[in-house]
Amino acid sequence: LKVFQEKTDGFYGGREYNKVCLALLSLIADVSASYFYLVKDRLYCDGENSKSRLSALTSLYHFSQGLLGSMAPILPVLSEEAANSVPCLESPLKMGWYSQPEWLSSQISDSYTVLEEYRTLINKETKKSLEYNAVLKVTQEDLSLLEDYSCDEVAEVLGVLSVKYDVIQDKDCKDVQLTPSTFGVCERCRKMTVDPSHTRDLSQDDLESEPSNLCQRCIRVLDDLKA
């Protein structure tokens, strides 16, 4: 978003409004494929007040507010209507350009570049990556960039069920080893994460109110909702 804002700021300065429109379309298409699609699982299935879900909502807030501020000069009515439809968003016409300097981080950019390499390798292997566990063959340099993120976070970006690392010395030997999941499909989140050895026996009343084939995460979330 920060890179996009810097580009559009230059386009506005040069009155190249057609390029602003093209940049908007490109950003939305890119983020929809690389973030919105993957973060849906956290938004819909994690605990309501869990750190992972609140983190996703915070990211969506900053993105939406920043995007509306960038498009307001050429689409003032649309951006204002979009902000009015979401209670937590401020009017982009009143707030103006919304941006934070910490959004531009070389470390995050380098980490994302590494993850993009592995996501490309995964996509070459399968079109159904969410059915696989991945072992990433990484160099020590790449591992140092990825260690700041949990394996769950890396797995989400790569679109796989889980991630493990195998450190290698030769950077030309980077690869991904995919193993199909042997677990069942959770009836709530639809991920292949149901361990048959950890299923819960439900009474007839429970079976009528909730699915019986649930992963451990969904069991915890539903138990919290009942509490």
Side-chain angles (χ1 to χ4, degrees):
L1 178 60
K2 183 67 174 178
V3 174
F4 160 79
Q5 289 179 326
E6 291 181 347
K7 287 182 179 179
T8 52
D9 186 38
F11 294 151
Y12 279 127
R15 299 184 180 181
E16 298 176 295
Y17 305 124
N18 62 318
K19 292 185 178 180
V20 175
C21 295
L22 292 174
L24 275 169
L25 292 174
S26 177
L27 175 70
I28 293 172
D30 181 51
V31 176
S32 295
S34 63
Y35 185 74
F36 294 158
Y37 171 74
L38 297 172
V39 83
K40 286 191 298 183
D41 177 69
R42 273 194 283 159
L43 290 171
Y44 296 152
C45 300
D46 278 7
E48 181 179 5
N49 296 313
S50 64
K51 182 179 179 180
S52 56
R53 183 174 180 275
L54 293 178
S55 173
L57 287 172
T58 301
S59 296
L60 291 176
Y61 163 75
H62 286 302
F63 180 84
S64 300
Q65 194 71 69
L67 181 67
L68 293 179
S70 300
M71 60 189 280
I74 56 173
L75 296 168
V77 176
L78 178 60
S79 59
E80 192 69 12
E81 288 180 344
N84 289 338
S85 68
V86 182
C88 67
L89 292 177
E90 299 289 339
S91 164
L93 299 181
K94 294 179 180 179
M95 177 175 280
W97 201 266
Y98 178 76
S99 182
Q100 301 292 335
E102 58 267 24
W103 290 352
L104 197 59
S105 166
S106 59
Q107 182 178 358
I108 294 177
S109 179
D110 292 342
S111 301
Y112 190 75
T113 299
V114 171
L115 290 173
E116 280 289 294
E117 289 183 43
Y118 288 102
R119 185 157 62 177
T120 299
L121 292 173
I122 290 171
N123 290 338
K124 288 180 179 179
E125 294 290 328
T126 179
K127 298 299 182 183
K128 297 182 178 180
S129 58
L130 281 172
E131 297 179 5
Y132 290 85
N133 301 296
V135 176
L136 308 184
K137 297 185 181 296
V138 299
T139 62
Q140 189 61 52
E141 181 182 0
D142 288 348
L143 183 61
S144 65
L145 290 171
L146 301 180
E147 281 180 328
D148 289 335
Y149 311 99
S150 70
C151 288
D152 287 342
E153 290 173 322
V154 173
E156 180 185 90
V157 174
L158 297 180
V160 295
L161 289 173
S162 68
V163 162
K164 292 182 180 179
Y165 301 117
D166 181 13
V167 180
I168 58 175
Q169 301 300 320
D170 188 353
K171 64 179 181 180
D172 293 328
C173 294
K174 289 183 182 181
D175 199 6
V176 175
Q177 180 182 344
L178 296 177
T179 305
S181 174
T182 58
F183 288 178
V185 176
C186 175
E187 293 183 37
R188 180 173 179 267
C189 67
R190 308 308 301 170
K191 295 180 74 172
M192 298 181 67
T193 51
V194 179
D195 186 348
S197 64
H198 290 84
T199 54
R200 179 170 62 178
D201 293 329
L202 301 175
S203 66
Q204 185 59 39
D205 290 339
D206 289 333
L207 286 171
E208 293 175 358
S209 61
E210 69 177 60
S212 59
N213 233 14
L214 296 175
C215 65
Q216 293 301 301
R217 174 189 61 168
C218 288
I219 289 175
R220 289 194 300 270
V221 171
L222 292 178
D223 285 345
D224 289 342
L225 290 174
K226 292 177 181 178

